[in-house]
Amino acid sequence: MPDEGPGHAADWLAAHGHTLTFTKLFEPNAVFPVLGDFDGLLILGGAMSVHDEDYLPWLRDEKAFIREALRVGKITLAICLGAQLVAEALGGEVWPNHAPEIGFWTVRFSAKSLEHPLLRGWPEKATVLHWHLDTFTVPPGAMRVGMSAGTATQGFVWGDGVIGLQFHPEMTVPMVEKLMELEGHEQAEEQEFVQTAEQIRGKLKSVWKGRKLLEALLENLVKLHEEG
């Protein structure tokens, strides 16, 4: 979406000498990059569902591109909607979660997933930003990364170079403020797994916990690519 972005990921990639290009599928005549022209794929979030192909036909093109990128072995980091798209491409299912999950909630990472080379340096748990209505099953052959009280599957790793995360480690403080504005969250009432705008603002320092997770993950992804 126009107001989404790579946030902390862009900062880390630039600081480490990597080039980041964008394909904005919501714009007319968007052109996908040639597979041979990039090393890794970052797939971000959005307010739409993976099932909204009828009124967002570019989703079909994106799904085809993701399947091809996975087929040729591109390292891939997918976040929120991106994780749902990759999960579906790998044979998982996506459907509405039992409840919305919005705000800063704790994710617990399984001991088994923390042994994966992509998650090297991650803690056993972290309080991170969530903003989603849907959820997904762990794709065949993948491993679940973690869970929260509101969502049973908070991510997955598939093979050595593909990871999908339901939560948002990339979002900066200004991005969270913008998201609340766009979603009209100032008037939102507290629910079991939905925090109010005031509660979210009280936890904004937690974006740095997400940033630390993301930086460790990107370092591991790049190291994997260089060793491969």
Side-chain angles (χ1 to χ4, degrees):
M1 296 182 67
D3 293 292
E4 296 272 353
H8 292 310
D11 296 338
W12 188 93
L13 291 168
H16 290 79
H18 302 285
T19 300
L20 183 64
T21 62
F22 298 84
T23 304
K24 299 179 179 180
L25 300 180
F26 51 83
E27 294 182 347
N29 305 313
V31 178
F32 289 95
V34 176
L35 290 173
D37 289 348
F38 67 91
D39 298 315
L41 189 61
L42 174 61
I43 312 172
L44 299 173
M48 63 288 296
S49 164
V50 301
H51 305 300
D52 289 343
E53 296 176 349
D54 286 345
Y55 76 93
L56 296 173
W58 53 259
L59 278 168
R60 297 189 183 92
D61 298 328
E62 182 177 18
K63 290 179 180 182
F65 179 77
I66 290 171
R67 289 193 297 269
E68 187 64 13
L70 294 171
R71 185 188 68 79
V72 300
K74 294 294 182 182
I75 58 172
T76 300
L77 167 56
I79 297 172
C80 199
L81 173 66
Q84 295 165 10
L85 287 165
V86 173
E88 185 184 66
L90 293 172
E93 297 182 11
V94 181
W95 67 84
N97 198 22
H98 67 92
E101 188 175 30
I102 296 173
F104 289 95
W105 303 97
T106 298
V107 175
R108 299 182 182 275
F109 306 110
S110 68
K112 185 177 181 181
S113 69
L114 291 175
E115 295 174 358
H116 194 282
L118 289 185
L119 273 60
R120 188 180 295 114
W122 277 28
E124 294 181 356
K125 62 182 180 179
T127 300
V128 288
L129 179 71
H130 306 261
W131 206 292
H132 66 100
L133 304 179
D134 290 352
T135 188
F136 53 85
T137 60
V138 177
M143 176 173 60
R144 185 173 67 169
V145 163
M147 65 184 297
S148 64
T151 303
T153 303
Q154 279 290 346
F156 64 89
V157 287
W158 184 77
D160 291 330
V162 176
I163 182 166
L165 301 175
Q166 183 58 71
F167 58 92
H168 285 277
E170 85 287 6
M171 285 211 172
T172 64
V173 169
M175 289 173 68
V176 178
E177 288 285 0
K178 187 66 175 179
L179 183 57
M180 289 196 291
E181 177 188 341
L182 292 172
E183 293 288 329
H185 201 69
E186 294 292 347
Q187 288 74 42
E189 296 183 358
E190 183 178 3
Q191 301 176 41
E192 185 176 9
F193 301 111
V194 176
Q195 295 168 351
T196 65
E198 182 180 1
Q199 289 170 326
I200 290 173
R201 289 194 177 98
K203 297 177 180 290
L204 281 175
K205 289 184 178 179
S206 290
V207 298
W208 296 102
K209 298 178 182 179
R211 178 173 182 165
K212 289 181 179 179
L213 295 180
L214 182 64
E215 289 177 345
L217 174 56
L218 289 170
E219 183 177 347
N220 294 335
L221 277 166
V222 169
K223 185 179 298 183
L224 175 78
H225 174 71
E226 292 173 346
E227 292 173 352

